[in-house]
Each structure stands twice: as C-alpha cells, then as structure tokens.
C-alpha cells in the first residue's frame, strides 16, 4: 500500500492492469482507466463483458488477481498479499449501491441508513441519525424514515440504498445497474437522484444499461467487451460517434431495437 501520488492528484480513481478470473474464466484482462475527482463515469457494454466485476474490484468486493487500484489516498497492488486492515481501509473510501437494494428487512429506513456509520465507522448514533435525516430528505424520503423496506416501492428502496451509501461519507460512489431491478415507471425517480449527485460534484462510477442516461450524466464513458475496455472517451465520442465497430453494433441494438 502506498499513499496518493502527487503527479495525478486530480484523479479519484486510478486502475492499472487489473485482472480477475473466476476459475478458467478470465473476466478482466488487464483493464486500465482513470476517474477524475467530481466526475461521473458510466460503464456500458453487453452482458458478460466484465462491467460488474470491474466495479466490484473498485471496492474489493471481488479482489482483483493482479493490477494496481488507487481510490482516493489508498493504493493497493493486488498482485501481492494485502493485510485485511489495508483492504478495509481501501473499502472505506467508497460506497456501493447494489442492483437489488440489499436493505435489512427487519430494520426501518432510518436504521438501515445509520447502520454503516454506527456499526462500521463507530460514529455516535445522534450524529448518524442527524445526517441520515438530511440524506433521506435529499433523496425524497424524509417521511419514510420509520417505515420498513417491505412498505416501500422498489424505487424508494433503491433511493434508501443510495442514502445508505452516502451516509458513509465516501470519496467514491459505485452504482451497479441501479435501475435494472425496477419496473419501468420507477426508473426515473432513481436516475433523477443520481443526476443530482453528479451535479453536486460527487465522484461516481455507474454500471448502466440506460444509454441516454449515460449520455446525459457522465463526463466519461467506458465501453467494455470480453474483459477489456474497448473504447473510452466523452459521451459525445463513445455514444455519439463510436470508433469501434463492436461499439457501434452494441449501441445500434440498444438505441434502435426492432
């Protein structure tokens, strides 16, 4: 582990040569990219292209087999053994929003949001509650704080998941296809919250199949295919004028369905 380099301090995330395999299936094949502070990066690509695995390596939910990843001021070379305290320190720099909400069903909305700050970060409950109330208001759920997940719509549950991630005060927020489990009429409310976070200057990395949303909210788009980043650039470059034939084929199927 090493501290943040001084020659690339504008970057919140630096990934170099990241590899990950599950058995004989090499899912990531030496992926490298950077994410600037205060920007949103969208990761798009076909199913099975490595998008979610790439996202999970940024929080060590899936530990990379090789490569170097730095998130904020913590850098880990995954080619060498890393002590658990350093992994926890690495993980503490980011918050993760899952596809399926992953809320504790037996806890209220407020209890779900304060769980991380109180149990993991050992912050005072009063402080955590005060901040949670503000966050729930930010995602439009202030009046739902005493309800349980089963009493909420899928979109509301996902917004609680976003508030829960933000409650950890992360340097980076990771979204794994945050609307994929939602009914179509609920998608907009979640995307609206994420757009607001981007405007507020949070550093975001978002795996998404919502191409128009990626075009609107991100400053960088990564197109992954078969374990590599095949194309990366601004939304205008990657979505509006892709250079690779594989990217064009993918976007044509998504944007111009039969």
């Amino acid at each position: 582990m090493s501290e943040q380099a001084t020659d690339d301090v504008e970057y919140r995330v630096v990934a170099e040569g990241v590899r990950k395999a599950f058995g004989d299936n090499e899912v990531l094949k030496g992926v490298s990219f950077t994410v600037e502070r205060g920007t949103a990066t969208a990761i798009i690509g076909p199913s099975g292209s490595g998008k979610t695995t790439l996202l999970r390596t940024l929080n060590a939910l899936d530990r990379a087999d090789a490569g170097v990843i730095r998130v904020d001021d913590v850098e880990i070379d995954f080619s060498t053994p890393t002590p658990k305290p350093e992994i926890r320190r690495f993980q503490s720099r980011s918050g993760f929003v899952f596809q399926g909400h992953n809320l504790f069903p037996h806890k209220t909305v407020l209890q779900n949001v304060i769980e991380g700050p109180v149990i993991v970060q050992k912050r005072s409950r009063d402080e955590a509650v005060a901040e949670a109330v503000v966050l729930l208001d930010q995602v439009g759920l202030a009046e739902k704080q005493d309800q349980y997940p089963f009493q909420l719509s899928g979109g509301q549950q996902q917004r609680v998941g976003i508030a829960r991630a933000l409650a950890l005060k992360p340097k980076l927020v990771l979204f794994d296809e945050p609307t994929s489990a939602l009914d179509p009429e609920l998608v907009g409310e979640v995307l609206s919250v994420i757009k607001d976070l981007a405007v507020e200057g949070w550093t975001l990395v978002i795996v998404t199949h919502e191409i128009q949303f990626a075009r609107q909210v991100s400053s960088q788009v990564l197109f992954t295919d078969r374990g590599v980043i095949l194309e990366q650039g601004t939304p205008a470059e990657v979505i509006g004028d892709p250079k690779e034939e594989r990217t064009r084929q993918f976007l044509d199927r998504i944007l111009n369905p039969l």
Side-chain angles (χ1 to χ4, degrees):
M1 190 280 295
S2 63
E3 293 300 319
Q4 177 174 311
T6 58
D7 58 348
D8 58 1
V9 293
E10 71 271 22
Y11 297 120
R12 182 69 75 192
V13 178
V14 177
E16 298 177 351
V18 178
R19 295 182 176 274
K20 178 65 181 178
F22 296 97
D24 294 332
N25 181 21
E26 190 177 19
V27 180
L28 300 178
K29 304 174 181 178
V31 171
S32 300
F33 66 99
T34 59
V35 176
E36 293 187 12
R37 297 173 186 273
T39 66
T41 292
I43 304 176
I44 64 173
S47 298
S49 63
K51 303 186 301 296
T52 291
T53 299
L54 175 56
L55 193 75
R56 289 172 65 90
T57 63
L58 299 182
N59 188 255
L61 288 170
D62 288 334
R63 291 200 195 184
D65 299 324
V68 175
I69 303 176
R70 176 166 60 74
V71 176
D72 198 50
D73 61 339
V74 183
E75 181 178 284
I76 292 180
D77 184 346
F78 285 93
S79 305
T80 60
T82 305
K84 287 184 179 180
E86 294 303 334
I87 291 292
R88 286 196 292 269
R89 184 166 177 257
F90 177 79
Q91 291 175 320
S92 73
R93 296 308 190 261
S94 58
F96 204 99
V97 180
F98 298 87
Q99 289 184 34
H101 325 310
N102 283 21
L103 301 179
F104 295 110
H106 61 289
K107 293 182 181 290
T108 66
V109 165
L110 182 64
Q111 290 169 338
N112 266 279
V113 176
I114 69 172
E115 177 83 5
V118 173
I119 302 301
V120 178
Q121 297 180 333
K122 309 301 182 185
R123 289 158 53 194
S124 78
R125 190 180 190 280
D126 288 347
E127 175 190 347
V129 168
E131 293 178 357
V133 169
V134 172
L135 288 171
L136 288 170
D137 183 61
Q138 183 178 348
V139 300
L141 294 173
E143 76 286 357
K144 303 290 187 181
Q145 66 180 45
D146 295 323
Q147 295 192 3
Y148 289 86
F150 76 89
Q151 297 174 294
L152 306 179
S153 70
Q156 290 171 333
Q157 290 183 49
Q158 192 61 296
R159 284 186 279 154
V160 174
I162 294 172
R164 181 181 58 181
L166 298 181
L168 295 169
K169 297 184 177 180
K171 303 296 185 181
L172 169 69
V173 188
L174 306 169
F175 294 85
D176 184 16
E177 298 199 23
T179 62
S180 65
L182 301 180
D183 292 333
E185 65 268 22
L186 302 177
V187 168
E189 66 187 64
V190 174
L191 296 184
S192 177
V193 171
I194 300 173
K195 287 179 183 179
D196 288 343
L197 296 178
V199 171
E200 291 168 11
W202 288 82
T203 306
L204 313 176
V205 178
I206 310 158
V207 170
T208 183
H209 59 276
E210 301 282 349
I211 302 301
Q212 296 296 356
F213 168 71
R215 189 199 301 267
Q216 294 168 9
V217 77
S218 62
S219 54
Q220 175 179 228
V221 177
L222 311 179
F223 174 72
T224 63
D225 188 45
R226 299 180 183 179
V228 301
I229 296 175
L230 196 61
E231 193 161 356
Q232 62 187 92
T234 66
E237 292 167 339
V238 177
I239 298 174
D241 187 25
K243 302 298 187 291
E244 299 290 334
E245 177 61 27
R246 182 69 184 91
T247 313
R248 290 194 291 269
Q249 292 173 350
F250 170 79
L251 290 170
D252 185 60
R253 286 203 306 272
I254 298 296
L255 298 175
N256 301 296
L258 296 178

